[in-house]
Amino acid sequence: MSNTLNYPELAALIQARAGVAIDPAALERPGAAFDEFGVDSLGLLGVVGELENRHGVKVTNGAESAKTPAEFLDLVNAVVTAKAGA
């Protein structure tokens, strides 16, 4: 089982932690930005907190400032993958 975060999981976390329902396919769209979905840094901070609890790892500083879903996944998955390989 992979520990990496994918778009459907990210959409579920955003709904649970930020209260914003987003179609996972919309998150995958090139150029998609969190602000167009109404997700702000506070909402992302909730998602980061959930991921830190789930994986027992400190997610990169700045993940809550990611402007796009792709950037957020890259940051989070780099940390989670590095911990898994440690």
Side-chain angles (χ1 to χ4, degrees):
M1 178 178 125
S2 172
N3 281 331
T4 56
L5 184 65
N6 60 33
Y7 288 102
E9 290 168 349
L10 178 58
L13 281 168
I14 290 171
Q15 180 157 6
R17 305 304 266 167
V20 180
I22 305 171
D23 178 359
L27 290 176
E28 292 185 61
R29 193 181 74 247
F34 284 122
D35 59 1
E36 73 186 75
F37 302 115
V39 178
D40 60 10
S41 59
L42 193 57
L44 286 180
L45 203 54
V47 173
V48 168
E50 177 66 28
L51 291 169
E52 288 179 344
N53 290 338
R54 184 179 294 180
H55 294 289
V57 62
K58 177 87 176 99
V59 174
T60 301
N61 287 340
E64 73 280 355
S65 300
K67 300 296 183 212
T68 68
E71 179 186 359
F72 185 84
L73 288 178
D74 287 345
L75 287 166
V76 169
N77 287 332
V79 172
V80 171
T81 303
K83 179 185 182 285

